[in-house]
């Protein structure tokens, strides 16, 4: 159970004056059950890349294997692929259209051929997961606030119970609490149901907190593909391509420069606090 | 799919034609279209063809790109040709079967009509290929400016046009995005009978309308916030000014029109159409 990309290239508007190379020889392997973060500056090809994962875009060249099967093979069942790989787009609230929230979330399950009762069941479950209050279930999706719309849209994909969940900047434009709520829920789902999660984000902090592995995109190519802490070691190179390591990385490096022997490969605030405490205690007991 | 429509699309390139003042291009295109109906002989067609070929060459728009723009009118072209072919009774009968009769005159008319239509389309799309929508509306506004005197709101009309033109690619992109998002949720836009298909458009059309209204609202607000209040007393950041090459283009165009009309009407190689 995995996704494998081999020498994937994608060119927008191929053969016209507007030709634009968006992906450049991308090779990746994403095993089942992993929580993968994708990061990269604006226009580095993240959205383009993830649209390949459920066959919405077809690579200009290269192959993509889902569970060992080439999805570009003649007669491959794209519908089945799209049932298993759920994709939440950037600004997904723009896709809402039904008369009320619950019906909108039912759209996906209904398309999967489930009965109305089952769809409803799944929709309710998904709405609970994203933490939308019950009083909104019957209101028009156009009356909700931005964050509530976002939750509804994410629920619309979750209700399809995908085996792989791909989220394109699900938290852009949300308040800090809303952001943490949604990401915590996704992390919880990931743990509970061993769903593969692929999260595109601009926030190094978020990625550091949740992801097992971090893919850094630069100009349509994969620049790094490693554990977050190993990637953050290259914070100088990251800065050169318009990114940054989490703030704690900088603090730790600064502390080392000033003579404190802390580890620099910590990525979250909690880890950093522990590490600093440990060093201080060690320091005190020694002297 | 939707992106394949090339009529009315700008083709970025660096060429003499691209640099011309939009007014020149508008006027010359109009003159060329009119000139196509001003001659009746084969020599006229030859000159019109050479002129068009030369302009295409100078504009650096690939010929294949221009031909692609002709695809949508193939149907129209066929109908015109067939009507002319079978309904014109003129000259020697070349072919007769049941109710269909093809005469020499009909054949000639059909071919000429097709050529004229094709040149008409190529001529006008050449203008849009080489002029950005903004330049185009600027040009139209400048040319129609005298109508202000009889209280035609020229500036407002031009503004509406440029906004409409600007929105076309935005809405296409939006359509593409929403379509993908719904396909990802299992929507199916392709199969089923006509009623099912119409129904399956709802998940696409509702968000599209909502977003169009939202964008229109935002734009109106943004214009208001920058104190936009119509054309009165408004000056341009880049006013249109004729340059040397624009006068040269006018002269070439006039020379062409005179030549094609004179030669087309007077040379003895006559093949009458009307
Ligand atoms: N529909 C399209 N047509 C043509 N070019 C496109 C299209 N969509 C994206 N591109 C181009 O492809 C490149 C990659 O775009 P993509 O949307 O994948 O970037 P991204 O990494 O998701 O950026 P962001 O962080 O802003 O979302 C960009 O340079 C963009 O200009
Ligand atoms: Mg993106």
């Amino acid at each position: 159970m995995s996704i494998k990309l081999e020498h994937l290239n994608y060119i927008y508007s191929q053969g016209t004056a507007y030709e634009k190379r968006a992906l450049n020889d991308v090779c990746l392997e994403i095993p089942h059950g992993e929580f993968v973060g994708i990061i990269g500056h604006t226009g580095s090809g993240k959205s383009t890349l993830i649209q390949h994962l459920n066959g919405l875009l077809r690579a200009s060249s290269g192959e993509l294997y889902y569970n060992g099967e080439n999805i570009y093979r003649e007669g491959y069942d794209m519908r089945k692929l799209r049932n298993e790989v759920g994709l939440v787009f950037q600004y997904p609230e723009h896709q809402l259209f039904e008369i009320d929230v619950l019906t909108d979330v039912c759209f996906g399950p209904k398309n999967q051929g489930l009965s109305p009762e089952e769809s409803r069941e799944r929709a309710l479950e998904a709405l609970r997961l994203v933490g939308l209050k019950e009083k909104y279930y019957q209101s028009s999706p156009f009356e909700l606030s931005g964050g509530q719309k976002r939750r509804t849209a994410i629920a619309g994909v979750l209700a399809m119970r995908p085996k792989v969940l791909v989220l394109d900047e699900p938290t852009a434009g949300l308040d800090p609490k809303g952001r943490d709520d949604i990401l915590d829920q996704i992390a919880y789902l990931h743990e509970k149901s061993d769903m593969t999660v692929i999260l595109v984000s601009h926030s190094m902090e978020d990625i550091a907190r949740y992801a097992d592995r971090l893919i850094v995109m630069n100009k349509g190519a994969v620049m790094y593909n490693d554990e977050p802490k190993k990637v953050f070691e290259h914070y100088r190179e990251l800065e050169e391509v318009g990114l940054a390591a989490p703030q704690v990385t900088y603090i730790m490096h600064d502390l080392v420069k000033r003579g404190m022997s802390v580890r620099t490969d910590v990525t979250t605030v909690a880890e950093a606090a522990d590490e600093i405490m440990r060093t201080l205690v060690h320091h005190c007991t020694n002297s | 799919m939707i992106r394949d429509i090339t009529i009315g699309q700008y083709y970025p390139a660096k060429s003499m034609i691209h640099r011309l003042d939009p007014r020149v291009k508008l006027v010359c295109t109009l003159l060329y279209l009119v000139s196509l109906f001003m001659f009746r002989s084969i020599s006229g067609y030859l000159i019109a063809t050479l002129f068009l070929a030369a302009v295409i060459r100078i504009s650096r728009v690939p010929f294949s790109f221009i031909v692609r723009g002709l695809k949508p009118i193939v149907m129209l072209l066929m109908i015109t040709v067939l009507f002319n072919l079978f309904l014109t009774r003129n000259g020697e009968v070349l072919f007769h079967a049941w109710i269909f009769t093809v005469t020499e005159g009909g054949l000639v008319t059909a071919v000429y009509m097709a050529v004229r239509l094709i040149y008409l389309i190529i001529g006008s799309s050449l203008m849009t290929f080489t002029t950005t929508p903004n330049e185009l509306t600027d040009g139209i506004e400048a040319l129609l400016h005298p109508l202000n005197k009889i209280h035609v709101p020229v500036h407002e009309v031009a503004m509406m046009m440029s906004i409409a033109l600007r929105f076309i690619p935005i809405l296409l992109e939006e359509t593409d995005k929403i379509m993908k998002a719904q396909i990802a949720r299992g929507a199916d836009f392709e199969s089923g009978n006509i009623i099912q298909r119409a129904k399956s458009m709802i998940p696409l059309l509702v968000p599209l309308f909502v977003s169009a209204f939202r964008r229109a609202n935002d734009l109106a607000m943004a214009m208001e916030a920058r104190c936009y209040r119509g054309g009165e007393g408004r000056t341009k950041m880049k006013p249109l000014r004729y340059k040397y090459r624009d006068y040269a283009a006018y002269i070439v165009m006039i020379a062409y029109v005179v030549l094609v009309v004179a030669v087309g009407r007077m040379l003895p190689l006559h093949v009458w159409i009307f």
Side-chain angles (χ1 to χ4, degrees):
Chain A
M1 295 286 265
S2 69
I3 299 171
K4 194 166 162 203
L5 284 65
E6 279 182 359
H7 304 286
L8 215 67
N9 287 288
Y10 188 77
I11 302 166
Y12 279 107
S13 322
Q14 194 163 18
T16 72
Y18 299 95
E19 231 178 63
K20 167 91 205 169
R21 191 176 198 95
L23 287 183
N24 196 355
D25 197 40
V26 172
C27 298
L28 281 177
E29 186 159 3
I30 298 169
H32 188 69
E34 219 179 17
F35 197 127
V36 181
I38 300 182
I39 215 159
H41 58 85
T42 293
S44 56
K46 306 180 295 291
S47 301
T48 309
L49 174 67
I50 60 167
Q51 284 174 45
H52 281 84
L53 301 182
N54 69 348
L56 280 175
L57 290 180
R58 195 196 165 99
S60 306
S61 68
E63 307 296 339
L64 201 162
Y65 297 90
Y66 181 70
N67 293 343
E69 257 194 284
N70 189 339
I71 72 163
Y72 299 137
R73 177 175 63 81
E74 191 87 14
Y76 184 84
D77 188 359
M78 280 291 175
R79 277 189 85 85
K80 190 157 163 290
L81 176 70
R82 286 176 192 150
N83 278 339
E84 296 197 5
V85 182
L87 186 58
V88 180
F89 276 84
Q90 222 163 352
Y91 300 107
E93 53 271 32
H94 296 168
Q95 75 194 33
L96 303 173
F97 70 98
E98 275 290 1
I99 42 169
D100 63 56
V101 166
L102 193 59
T103 325
D104 200 284
V105 178
C106 284
F107 183 67
K110 226 171 56 198
N111 285 331
Q112 286 178 307
L114 297 178
S115 70
E117 297 78 45
E118 250 176 310
S119 307
R120 208 182 126 81
E121 200 74 16
R122 293 242 189 136
L124 287 172
E125 185 196 54
L127 280 167
R128 260 195 304 277
L129 273 172
V130 296
L132 191 76
K133 292 208 183 76
E134 212 158 311
K135 63 177 173 192
Y136 296 121
Y137 289 5
Q138 304 302 329
S139 34
S140 157
F142 302 109
E143 290 167 357
L144 302 179
S145 78
Q148 291 160 344
K149 279 187 200 164
R150 183 75 56 87
R151 283 161 202 255
T152 309
I154 295 176
V157 174
L158 282 181
M160 297 173 75
R161 294 213 186 136
K163 295 203 167 77
V164 179
L165 179 64
V166 188
L167 301 126
D168 196 351
E169 294 185 48
T171 55
L174 290 188
D175 59 82
K177 169 140 187 342
R179 197 186 64 201
D180 289 351
D181 278 355
I182 287 186
L183 291 180
D184 281 343
Q185 278 307 332
I186 290 165
Y188 167 75
L189 266 181
H190 167 70
E191 251 154 54
K192 195 189 74 171
S193 62
D194 87 327
M195 178 169 68
T196 309
V197 177
I198 299 171
L199 174 72
V200 176
S201 173
H202 273 297
S203 157
M204 285 291 182
E205 272 76 16
D206 287 349
I207 298 259
R209 201 155 95 217
Y210 299 102
D212 307 321
R213 193 147 61 92
L214 171 56
I215 294 166
V216 179
M217 300 284 297
N218 180 31
K219 292 187 188 145
V222 175
M223 187 178 175
Y224 296 112
N225 175 8
D226 209 337
E227 276 176 61
K229 50 176 94 173
K230 296 218 177 102
V231 173
F232 295 144
E233 290 289 302
H234 304 277
Y235 67 105
R236 296 229 178 279
E237 287 92 335
L238 287 177
E239 274 171 20
E240 269 163 36
V241 297
L243 298 169
Q247 309 236 297
V248 289
T249 309
Y250 292 95
I251 294 178
M252 297 316 248
H253 277 280
D254 257 11
L255 286 175
V256 169
K257 223 185 275 167
R258 288 168 198 220
M260 198 166 160
S261 58
V262 287
R263 276 176 24 229
T264 52
D265 64 349
V266 300
T267 50
T268 64
V269 178
E271 271 178 6
D274 283 350
E275 174 63 17
I276 294 172
M277 276 310 282
R278 194 188 58 77
T279 327
L280 286 176
V281 168
H282 188 74
H283 193 74
C284 292
T285 46
N286 274 8
S287 54
Chain B
M1 43 191 168
I2 322 172
R3 284 161 201 276
D4 291 338
I5 302 169
T6 54
I7 285 187
Q9 218 181 57
Y10 180 64
Y11 184 92
K14 281 201 173 87
S15 82
M16 181 73 176
I17 307 282
H18 281 77
R19 275 195 299 265
L20 284 179
D21 189 292
R23 286 173 293 180
V24 177
K25 282 186 268 190
L26 277 162
V27 171
C28 290
T29 307
L30 207 64
L31 281 177
Y32 183 74
L33 301 189
V34 173
S35 83
L36 283 177
F37 293 89
M38 303 262 286
F39 51 78
R40 299 163 173 184
S41 72
I42 220 156
S43 42
Y45 282 99
L46 267 175
I47 297 172
T49 310
L50 285 179
F51 184 74
L52 193 62
V55 176
I56 292 176
R57 192 64 202 277
I58 300 170
S59 76
R60 297 209 185 140
V61 179
F63 192 64
S64 62
F65 199 75
I66 294 173
V67 171
R68 227 181 298 163
L70 284 174
K71 265 190 210 150
I73 61 142
V74 167
M75 250 343 251
L76 181 74
L77 212 61
M78 299 272 264
I79 293 170
T80 322
V81 168
L82 289 181
F83 267 86
N84 275 304
L85 196 59
F86 292 118
L87 297 182
T88 316
R89 297 280 153 81
N90 197 346
E92 209 176 306
V93 173
L94 297 178
F95 170 83
H96 182 86
W98 190 38
I99 52 165
F100 297 111
T101 318
V102 176
T103 61
E104 199 187 313
L107 187 66
V108 170
T109 315
V111 170
Y112 279 2
M113 216 48 211
V115 170
R116 276 182 181 170
L117 267 178
I118 291 174
Y119 285 9
L120 211 76
I121 301 289
I122 293 184
S124 40
S125 46
L126 206 54
M127 175 180 69
T128 51
F129 284 150
T130 58
T131 322
T132 63
N134 271 339
E135 282 178 334
L136 213 56
T137 43
D138 271 1
I140 291 173
E141 190 181 346
L143 285 176
L144 296 184
H145 191 71
L147 290 184
N148 249 337
K149 293 222 173 63
I150 53 166
H151 301 290
V152 178
V154 175
H155 171 80
E156 279 70 17
V157 172
M159 181 55 103
M160 278 195 280
M161 248 183 74
S162 64
I163 291 175
L165 284 172
R166 181 70 198 82
F167 264 51
I168 292 173
I170 294 181
L171 286 181
L172 281 182
E173 196 177 306
E174 193 86 20
T175 312
D176 196 54
K177 244 190 228 165
I178 297 170
M179 219 160 162
K180 276 185 188 158
Q182 305 299 26
I183 292 175
R185 289 210 284 166
D188 184 357
F189 294 107
E190 264 131 36
S191 53
N193 62 30
I194 214 158
I195 296 173
Q196 282 166 332
R197 266 204 230 188
K199 256 187 159 165
S200 73
M201 293 307 269
I202 294 174
L204 174 63
L205 290 180
V206 173
L208 195 62
F209 271 97
V210 170
S211 110
F213 279 112
R214 194 190 42 198
R215 277 175 196 280
N217 212 1
D218 290 352
L219 182 65
M221 197 96 88
M223 285 166 80
E224 193 100 297
R226 283 182 246 172
C227 303
Y228 178 79
R229 49 180 179 80
E232 214 171 309
R234 202 176 166 76
T235 54
K236 289 226 177 294
M237 189 160 99
K238 288 182 195 152
L240 293 176
R241 277 211 193 88
Y242 281 126
K243 302 220 176 60
Y244 169 72
R245 57 168 175 263
D246 298 314
Y247 294 117
Y250 273 135
I251 292 170
V252 170
M253 193 64 207
I254 291 167
Y256 156 77
V257 171
V258 171
L259 186 73
V260 86
V261 172
V263 170
R265 292 198 170 240
M266 277 176 258
L267 275 199
L269 284 163
H270 269 184
V271 183
W272 290 91
I273 290 175
F274 298 115

